[in-house]
Amino acid sequence: MENSLTCKVDGLTVRYTDEGAGQPILLLHGWGSSLDAFARIRREFSPAFRLIALDFPGFGGSDMPPEPWAVEDYALFTLRFLKEIGLEDPILIGHSFGGRVIMKLAGTGRLNPPKIILIDAAGVQPKKTIKQKIRQRSFKIVKGTLTLPGLKGHTEGLLDKARRHYGSADYNSAPEVLRKTLVKVVNEDLSHLLPSIAAPTLLIYGEKDTATPVSDAQKIEQLIPDAGLCVIEGAGHFSFVERPYQVHRILHSFLGG
């Protein structure tokens, strides 16, 4: 099943898979994940479609980006990858962070996919809980103190400890370049791009997803002109892995073929 391939994009080695035949579908994985997360979807749909999945730089078997990237950089990278393999305007399926990249690509008109599927996708700024607001405020106070004139340059070790204490699991487990990337990524709200997405868009979200909650999905559904939302009962942030048969039925209905 695996048969992974590699190519070079802007000097970076990129791992990807290309299997099946028919209308092409590009699969974009979430933060901290890889193309392997889509194994069941690839197996289910490769008899009727051509499925291309890649590891974003910094993840899976692809090289690390040379510097901290923003969503824009990953979007441009995806365009160059598609050019490298000779693919134009495929159907787009994105999980979590992959959804962010799709929102950037489709919302700016750089890609005009016939259909879009966003699974537990990130991209809009959710309302922060009181606990989250307190943690964010506390870190800002600590950071402000440790970077005061006279202290700056002498407290980097303490500042790094503070980042680890107040940071998320994704932040703490990432290499330095990806930590700085994550900060850029999560602080960008893509809501303003969503009304410009013209493609029919299917949203699939886990009922119990706490990383990208259903409230985010409802906001996205309202902003994209031709969007519909399916909530997967009992599923979390990896709804397509936790409830594959339900998700596959929904995908078959939306994709046809």
Side-chain angles (χ1 to χ4, degrees):
M1 174 71 188
E2 184 52 41
N3 296 323
S4 61
L5 307 167
T6 60
C7 67
K8 287 281 188 179
V9 179
D10 292 342
L12 299 177
T13 298
V14 180
R15 173 189 175 229
Y16 72 101
T17 56
D18 188 341
E19 54 208 326
Q23 189 172 17
I25 298 175
L26 179 65
L27 299 160
L28 300 178
H29 65 78
W31 187 269
S33 186
S34 73
L35 61 83
D36 298 318
F38 292 116
R40 284 186 173 181
I41 287 180
R42 288 159 46 206
R43 184 166 56 246
E44 176 75 16
F45 290 91
S46 57
F49 295 88
R50 177 187 174 193
L51 276 79
I52 302 96
L54 65 92
D55 285 339
F56 282 126
F59 304 97
S62 294
D63 285 346
M64 193 70 64
E67 59 189 13
W69 280 10
V71 180
E72 174 75 2
D73 298 299
Y74 279 100
L76 293 174
F77 162 82
T78 302
L79 288 175
R80 290 191 285 267
F81 169 78
L82 290 175
K83 184 177 180 181
E84 177 66 25
I85 65 170
L87 190 62
E88 291 185 10
D89 291 329
I91 293 170
L92 298 175
I93 298 180
H95 172 242
S96 194
F97 170 69
R100 284 186 189 270
V101 177
I102 289 173
M103 291 174 195
K104 176 72 78 167
L105 289 168
T108 56
R110 288 164 171 151
L111 283 183
N112 296 291
K115 293 179 180 179
I116 291 172
I117 299 165
L118 301 175
I119 305 176
D120 304 304
V124 298
Q125 292 287 4
K127 275 190 173 182
K128 288 186 172 64
T129 64
I130 293 175
K131 184 178 179 180
Q132 288 172 328
K133 289 178 180 178
I134 290 172
R135 285 182 68 85
Q136 185 179 55
R137 179 62 179 163
S138 298
F139 174 68
K140 285 183 177 180
I141 292 171
V142 171
K143 182 180 178 181
T145 302
L146 294 177
T147 54
L148 286 171
L151 290 179
K152 194 173 181 180
H154 302 282
T155 56
E156 189 55 40
L158 291 173
L159 188 55
D160 186 58
K161 285 184 179 180
R163 289 193 184 101
R164 288 177 177 274
H165 176 72
Y166 291 105
S168 67
D170 280 341
Y171 179 88
N172 287 326
S173 64
E176 182 65 20
V177 68
L178 289 185
R179 288 184 195 169
K180 292 180 178 178
T181 294
L182 183 60
V183 171
K184 288 186 174 186
V185 165
V186 300
N187 287 324
E188 183 174 1
D189 188 348
L190 302 176
S191 299
H192 64 288
L193 296 178
L194 301 184
S196 298
I197 295 178
T201 301
L202 170 64
L203 310 175
I204 300 176
Y205 280 69
E207 175 196 19
K208 296 183 177 180
D209 189 344
T210 56
T212 53
V214 172
S215 57
D216 286 9
Q218 291 167 337
K219 182 177 180 180
I220 294 169
E221 183 186 23
Q222 290 173 355
L223 291 172
I224 297 177
D226 186 6
L229 170 62
C230 293
V231 177
I232 308 301
E233 185 177 349
H237 188 54
F238 281 78
S239 59
F240 67 107
V241 176
E242 298 167 44
R243 300 288 189 275
Y245 302 112
Q246 286 177 259
V247 172
H248 291 175
R249 286 199 299 270
I250 294 167
L251 292 179
H252 275 297
S253 177
F254 185 67
L255 291 172

